[in-house]
Amino acid sequence: MKHAEAAPRYEQPSLLKREFKRWRDNRVGYLFIAPLVIAIVLVLLYPIGKAMLMSFQYWLVTKPKGGHPFVGLDNYGGLFRSDYFFTSLYITFLYIVVTVALRYLLGLGTALLLHTKFRGRGLVRAMVIIPWAVPEVVTCLVFILMYDYQYGVINDILLKMNILSSPVAFLGDSRTALGAAMFVNVWKGFPFAAIMLLAGLQSIPKDLYEAATMDGAGIWRQFRSVTLPLLRPVSVVVFLLLVVWTIKDFGIVYVLTGGGPSRVTEILTIFIYKVGFKTFNFGVAAAGGMILLLVSIVFTLIYLKATKAGETT
């Protein structure tokens, strides 16, 4: 009896062959994204990697001889031993809390106003975005003139209203410099919160307000029970974006005060800048930059998680 012929056996392609086939089939797509990948590596990943390496090295520009030896965590230890570092952390924390809260509250109030119907509402909506659109440096230069001790319009108005008895050097007085910088930050940043929250308000169904009115709910009760809960996803995104942007804020405070007077406006970004470009200790400055990057990444991950949760609801 003849044995039945065995069925032909087909060998499965190896993993290397499968990957090569996939690359060959998609090579055109890879060529299209290659410039973006190269740009990200050169502009983002390489500088971060270089700064991370510098944070573990002795990197003092004024002493170039001997290379840049590995010093481990000494640069981070130098930061934590510095009183100025913790002072800048406290100022940064205060700067973030105050400006983010005020920008959100002012943006919410503006959004509620722009959500109501009145004559010229379209023009007002367009004008609200102007502070956000003006470049930071231009905004700061205008406010420097407005804050001027002798000729500033702010001093002039407050004197005429008898709020002040004598002019105040808003940017030169340690008691008012930080508040003056915060005011500029709030003025420039609240339109973003207003536009985002206005979009959230327009997405709320009107039927909910009509039902609340029929149940006898007043304006304040509707705001508390309908508006705020339904604005929560947008509010979380606005809060996190404002926090991330404020953590890396540099231009407004630096142009206005340069971190002075007496370091009362020296937020963390300005502290890192001074360590790197005033004392030329790039190792310690890189360590400070890594701490700032880590904090930013934490809030960025929270933001991404919040947006993902908003998409699934």
Side-chain angles (χ1 to χ4, degrees):
M1 183 175 182
K2 295 183 178 180
H3 295 285
E5 295 183 359
R9 299 176 61 185
Y10 297 98
E11 296 183 358
Q12 292 290 334
S14 64
L15 178 61
L16 182 61
K17 289 182 179 180
R18 291 199 303 269
E19 291 298 327
F20 178 77
K21 184 178 182 301
R22 180 182 302 175
W23 179 88
R24 185 181 58 188
D25 295 339
N26 300 314
R27 60 184 181 275
V28 176
Y30 292 144
L31 289 176
F32 275 114
I33 67 173
L36 176 62
V37 174
I38 295 173
I40 291 176
V41 171
L42 294 179
V43 178
L44 183 63
L45 297 182
Y46 174 75
I48 292 176
K50 182 67 174 179
M52 185 179 297
L53 177 62
M54 290 172 62
S55 69
F56 297 108
Q57 293 178 322
Y58 178 76
W59 195 291
L60 194 62
V61 178
T62 56
K63 295 181 180 180
K65 295 183 179 180
H68 307 291
F70 182 79
V71 294
L73 298 176
D74 286 356
N75 290 326
Y76 293 91
L79 275 180
F80 295 133
R81 288 191 298 269
S82 172
D83 294 334
Y84 293 133
F85 174 71
F86 288 102
T87 302
S88 68
L89 278 180
Y90 169 74
I91 295 172
T92 303
F93 175 77
L94 184 63
Y95 185 77
I96 292 172
V97 170
V98 173
T99 58
V100 169
L102 291 179
R103 277 180 288 177
Y104 176 81
L105 293 176
L106 187 58
L108 178 60
T110 305
L112 292 171
L113 177 63
L114 296 179
H115 190 55
T116 59
K117 293 182 179 181
F118 58 89
R119 187 184 300 272
R121 183 176 65 171
L123 178 62
V124 176
R125 285 182 174 182
M127 292 178 63
V128 164
I129 202 66
I130 291 177
W132 176 261
V134 177
E136 280 188 356
V137 175
V138 176
T139 300
C140 293
L141 292 178
V142 171
F143 270 95
I144 287 173
L145 296 176
M146 295 173 64
Y147 282 138
D148 188 77
Y149 178 80
Q150 292 182 325
Y151 308 107
V153 65
I154 296 179
N155 269 312
D156 184 59
I157 293 175
L158 295 178
L159 287 171
K160 290 181 178 178
M161 296 176 63
N162 294 323
I163 297 177
L164 294 178
S165 58
S166 60
V168 176
F170 289 100
L171 299 177
D173 192 330
S174 59
R175 295 170 297 180
T176 58
L178 184 60
M182 289 178 178
F183 181 84
V184 178
N185 182 290
V186 172
W187 182 85
K188 181 165 178 56
F190 87 90
F192 168 78
I195 297 302
M196 292 286 288
L197 293 171
L198 177 60
L201 287 173
Q202 292 178 334
S203 66
I204 299 176
K206 295 182 180 180
D207 298 344
L208 297 178
Y209 291 104
E210 295 175 355
T213 303
M214 294 179 62
D215 291 339
I219 296 177
W220 170 247
R221 183 61 183 272
Q222 292 180 24
F223 175 75
R224 189 178 60 181
S225 302
V226 178
T227 304
L228 283 182
L230 294 179
L231 274 183
R232 185 177 178 276
V234 179
S235 297
V236 171
V237 172
V238 170
F239 260 113
L240 292 174
L241 282 177
L242 291 177
V243 169
V244 171
W245 290 342
T246 310
I247 288 173
K248 65 179 185 61
D249 191 13
F250 175 83
I252 291 178
V253 180
Y254 185 78
V255 175
L256 289 175
T257 65
S262 303
R263 294 178 177 261
V264 295
T265 61
E266 190 176 84
I267 57 178
L268 189 56
T269 51
I270 295 180
F271 171 81
I272 294 171
Y273 168 79
K274 287 184 175 180
V275 172
F277 294 96
K278 299 294 184 181
T279 65
F280 300 105
N281 195 337
F282 286 166
V284 176
M290 288 298 102
I291 294 175
L292 188 64
L293 176 64
L294 181 61
V295 175
S296 301
I297 289 175
V298 170
F299 281 100
T300 302
L301 293 176
I302 297 174
Y303 164 72
L304 293 176
K305 183 177 180 179
T307 54
K308 184 177 180 181
E311 292 175 356
T312 56
T313 55

